[in-house]
Amino acid sequence: MNEGMEMNQNMNPNANQYQQPVSFANPMQQAPKKPMDKNAIILWAIRGVAILAELLFFLPLCVVSCADETKKVGGLQACFGFEFMDEKVKGIWWLIFLFIFLAVIIAVWFVKDMKMFKGSKLTNPLACTATSVLSLINIIVLICFKNEAVKRALASGAEIDFTFGYTLLMIIEVIMCLGGAVCVVMLIIQDPDIINNLGAEFKALFS
């Protein structure tokens, strides 16, 4: 009997390894996922609201009414003019800068992710600065547009009401202006070397 057991062990030298307790790693205890950076969330949010603002430009910004006729006026119509009560209403041409500056903001956020710019620490601060400054200009453009539209409506005896789209567009511009400025400050606080090595960073950005 003993000889049979010895022969079995000799024939299967690895038999003892199966008698050892086997431990299975808990998949829930594996390496935790790296939490998303708060700055990254804010930066992506700015990009998203910029695209939303560009889309809002094509929606009605105001409603012009006179007698029994009513006309919803979008951003492009406000820029290049429109027909109302069988008359050609002259557009406010400089409102097109609102569309252009929003397009520039969106382009900046996509260009900064290009491979040639990823090695520089200045890409995010510059993108945030451009967003804040251009959004501030857009806020001024929206205020001036409203004043000019009201003045023209009063001069022609028409009534004008500004839509929720106009209000939402103004809110988004304020958010981008303040958000861009806050992001610049946060990025500089987290990495003061951006300021200390500003010249070298600029050189690395365009080299």
Side-chain angles (χ1 to χ4, degrees), residues 20-180:
Q20 298 177 359
V22 179
S23 61
F24 297 95
N26 187 352
M28 301 300 294
Q29 295 179 352
Q30 293 178 359
K33 293 182 178 180
K34 185 179 179 180
M36 193 171 183
D37 187 10
K38 291 182 179 179
N39 288 343
I41 296 175
I42 297 175
L43 298 178
W44 274 101
I46 293 176
R47 187 181 315 201
V49 295
I51 295 174
L52 176 60
E54 191 78 302
L55 295 176
L56 286 173
F57 179 82
F58 297 97
L59 299 179
L61 299 180
C62 60
V63 179
V64 181
S65 57
C66 185
D68 294 332
E69 190 168 346
T70 301
K71 177 75 173 181
K72 293 181 179 180
V73 181
L76 286 179
Q77 292 172 310
C79 289
F80 302 109
F82 55 93
E83 294 287 338
F84 183 68
M85 298 187 69
D86 299 328
E87 293 184 6
K88 177 69 175 179
V89 178
K90 186 179 179 181
I92 304 174
W93 66 268
W94 42 262
L95 184 63
I96 196 64
F97 286 112
L98 177 67
F99 175 83
I100 294 173
F101 291 152
L102 282 171
V104 171
I105 291 173
I106 295 171
V108 165
W109 282 100
F110 281 98
V111 169
K112 85 173 189 65
D113 289 334
M114 294 175 63
K115 187 176 181 180
M116 59 185 297
F117 296 122
K118 281 193 173 182
S120 175
K121 297 179 180 180
L122 287 180
T123 52
N124 284 336
L126 287 178
C128 291
T129 301
T131 299
S132 184
V133 173
L134 293 177
S135 296
L136 178 60
I137 296 174
N138 280 347
I139 292 172
I140 297 172
V141 170
L142 282 171
I143 294 173
C144 292
F145 163 70
K146 185 174 183 178
N147 292 337
E148 180 66 18
V150 170
K151 184 174 69 173
R152 292 189 184 185
L154 292 175
S156 61
E159 295 182 359
I160 185 169
D161 296 311
F162 291 87
T163 65
F164 177 73
Y166 173 88
T167 304
L168 183 58
L169 186 55
M170 177 66 79
I171 292 173
I172 288 176
E173 293 291 354
V174 172
I175 291 174
M176 288 196 297
C177 181
L178 297 178

